[in-house]
Structures are given as C-alpha cells and as structure tokens.
Amino acid sequence: MASKLTENYIFRKFVCGLSKERVAELCFKSVRTVTRWDSGHKIPPECRRLMKLYSCRDLAAINDDWRGWQIKQGELVTPNGWSLTPDRIVTGNALLQISAENDREMKAAIIRTARMLNRLPRA
C-alpha cells in the first residue's frame, strides 16, 4: 500500500476498485509503474480512461455522448437513473422500428403502463 493516500491511490483502489496487478495488466505496465502512480507520479490519461471504462464507473471514456451513463451489476444505467437490461433495450428498439402511424397509440399506452408500474411499491 502507498505510504500516504494520494489522489492516484484513491482513484485506483476506491473509485475504480482495481488492484495494482489488474491495472498493470490492463494498461500493459509493470506493477512497479502502478506503485509509482500510487505514490503520486502522473497516470497517463489513456490509462485513467481504461481504468474508468474497465471498472464501469464512467462510460464517458468512450466519448462525450456517454457522459453520465454507467454499467452497474449488469445493467446500463442512464444519467437520470433508469436501469436498462438487455431485454428492455431490445424492446425499446423494436418499438422504434415499428413506428407506423397506427402504432403510436400502442407505444403511448405501453409507456403509460410502464410509468404506472414504476410507481408501484417495490417488494
């Protein structure tokens, strides 16, 4: 462990939740280099992005369109806190694909129902 808690150590260990060994493997660096980062040496920006992306804390590392999006426990989480499972994403895309005029009423009914279900108390 670092002799003092540097910003880099806190970022690696607590923000990203990564071990020195995992960071070294991820960034193609040695454990010794990661130890130097922990002690305060600058982490290259590309390595910080990799660490954030790998730890699923910040998808903005992909590009700015993903700012605020995260992956938590296997679900994609939107900036406003909606959890999207793969099934929900596929269903939403399917609804967009069938955007004929007469389907708009059905979409509106589905959205109203989803909002009502979301307001129900959770068990």
Side-chain angles (χ1 to χ4, degrees), residues 69-81:
W69 291 75
Q70 298 178 341
I71 296 177
K72 289 183 181 176
Q73 299 174 349
E75 294 184 353
L76 181 63
V77 180
T78 67
N80 59 357

Side-chain angles (χ1 to χ4, degrees), residues 24-73:
E25 181 182 342
L26 183 65
C27 296
F28 299 99
K29 304 290 182 186
S30 67
V31 172
R32 185 175 178 174
T33 297
V34 178
T35 302
R36 277 189 252 133
W37 294 344
D38 280 356
S39 69
H41 286 77
K42 183 177 172 151
I43 300 174
E46 61 275 11
C47 292
R48 284 184 75 87
R49 274 193 302 273
L50 276 172
M51 292 164 68
K52 283 182 190 178
L53 187 59
Y54 182 81
S55 66
C56 303
R57 301 285 186 220
D58 183 8
L59 293 181
I62 297 170
N63 67 40
D64 281 343
D65 292 339
W66 289 100
R67 186 164 309 287
W69 291 75
Q70 298 178 341
I71 296 177
K72 289 183 181 176
Q73 299 174 349

Side-chain angles (χ1 to χ4, degrees), residues 6 17 21 64 81 108:
T6 64
E21 293 77 15
D64 281 343

